């Protein structure tokens, strides 16, 4: 177990880099996308006008697509483990969902069951982000490159899916940002993805008890 001065490594450098790249792309795509939809000249001009903002959206979309592919290519085992974790739901995860991990003030949470590397809420966010990003990509490229050769109904459909998936993803990421950076109970894990990769070992032994036990066993 990679432990220094009471801390354990939760996210590797490559994972953190990939998360930063996706986060920056997401902000640019979200801002330009909102500007197109609501016709916000202030944001469009920030990106150099209508044509340039459209180019920025498209080419950021290319990086947004390639970054995870390159990451998976070089980190296949790590990615497979991530998928395995976020698709495994046991009675402990259901127990977490019943109490919402104690994050919601009016939901009683006397006992929060032990969690994996990601709690049940994070698992659901992970699945939503992956499904949402795939939908943005498989609609975005045809909207860009096949707009004039697709039947009008397909153009309409891809546009609708792209827009409504963007709305859901932006709301989900706002919730994720609140929990990761602002909520006093969960923001203690901020540095694990945004800075050096480490989390407090004592905190993790309670918060992610199953994963911590796995690390101890592998030691
Ligand atoms: C999280 C990622 C993304 C978000 C939040 C996002 C958001 C948006 C939004 C809100 C719109 C306006 C939709 C409308 O007018 O109804 C839009 C348009 C568009 N998006 Fe995205 N998008 C994302 C990813 C992508 C990707 C990966 C591509 C592929 C290159 C792409 C290509 C396009 C295209 C072609 C348009 C039509 C406007 C134009 O041609 O400039 N988007 N996007
Ligand atoms: C807005 C600023 C953001 C902040 C401050 C942030 C912060 C974090 C932190 C601290 C973690 C680690 C949580 C843990 O180990 O327990 C994390 C995980 C993760 N982040 Fe972000 N993130 C942001 C934006 C995004 C965006 C834009 C995406 C994707 C579109 C994303 C996708 C993920 C995923 C899939 C995970 C792993 C699963 C999970 O924790 O739910 N994040 N993020």
């Amino acid at each position: 177990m990679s432990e220094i001065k009471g801390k354990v490594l939760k996210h590797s450098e490559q994972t953190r880099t990939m998360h930063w790249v996706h986060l920056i792309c997401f902000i640019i795509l979200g801002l330009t996308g909102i500007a197109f939809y609501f016709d916000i000249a202030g944001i469009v001009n920030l990106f150099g006008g209508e044509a340039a903002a459209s180019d920025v959206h498209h080419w950021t979309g290319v990086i947004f697509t390639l970054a995870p592919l390159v990451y998976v290519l070089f980190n296949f085992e790590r990615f497979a483990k991530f998928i395995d974790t976020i698709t495994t739901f046991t009675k402990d995860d259901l127990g977490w969902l019943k109490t919402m991990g104690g994050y919601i003030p009016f939901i009683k949470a006397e006992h929060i069951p032990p969690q994996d590397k990601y709690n049940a809420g994070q698992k659901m966010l992970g699945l939503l982000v992956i499904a949402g990003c795939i939908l943005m990509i498989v609609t975005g490229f045809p909207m860009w490159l096949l707009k004039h050769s697709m039947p009008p109904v397909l153009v309409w459909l891809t546009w609708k899916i792209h827009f409504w998936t963007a709305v859901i993803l932006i709301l989900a990421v706002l919730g994720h940002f609140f929990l990761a950076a602002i909520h006093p109970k969960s923001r203690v894990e901020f540095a694990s993805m945004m800075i050096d990769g480490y989390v407090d070992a004592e905190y993790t032994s309670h918060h992610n008890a199953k994963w911590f036990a796995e690390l101890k066993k592998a030691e």
Side-chain angles (χ1 to χ4, degrees), residues 167-179:
V167 172
I168 294 169
L169 271 185
I170 291 171
L171 290 176
V173 167
L174 286 176
H176 175 58
F177 170 75
F178 174 74
L179 287 168

Side-chain angles (χ1 to χ4, degrees), residues 26 29 33 36-37 54 57-58 61 64 136 140 143-144 159 162:
F26 191 89
L29 288 165
F36 302 149
Y37 188 76
S54 185
H57 191 86
H58 300 162
F64 184 80
M136 295 314 284
M143 282 162 73
W144 175 19
W159 233 272
H162 198 79

Side-chain angles (χ1 to χ4, degrees), residues 10-11 19 22-23 26 64 82 117-118 121-123 125-126 129 133 173 176-177 180-181 189-194:
K10 189 164 187 188
H11 302 295
H19 184 269
H22 234 210
L23 163 55
F26 191 89
F64 184 80
F82 173 68
K117 184 171 182 179
Y118 300 98
Q122 290 174 313
K123 288 180 181 183
L125 178 95
V129 162
C133 290
V173 167
H176 175 58
F177 170 75
E189 286 184 288
F190 183 81
S192 77
M193 191 58 101
M194 308 306 283

Side-chain angles (χ1 to χ4, degrees), residues 25-38 50-51 53-55 57-62 64-65 132-133 136-145 147 159-160 162-167 169-170:
C25 288
F26 191 89
I27 292 173
I28 296 173
L29 288 165
L31 274 179
T32 45
I34 288 170
F36 302 149
Y37 188 76
F38 293 106
E50 219 166 284
S54 185
D55 283 347
H57 191 86
H58 300 162
W59 289 101
T60 307
V62 172
F64 184 80
T65 308
C133 290
M136 295 314 284
I137 291 165
V138 301
T139 52
F141 282 96
M143 282 162 73
W144 175 19
L145 303 168
K147 191 166 62 177
W159 233 272
K160 285 283 169 216
H162 198 79
F163 173 72
W164 283 108
T165 310
V167 172
L169 271 185
I170 291 171

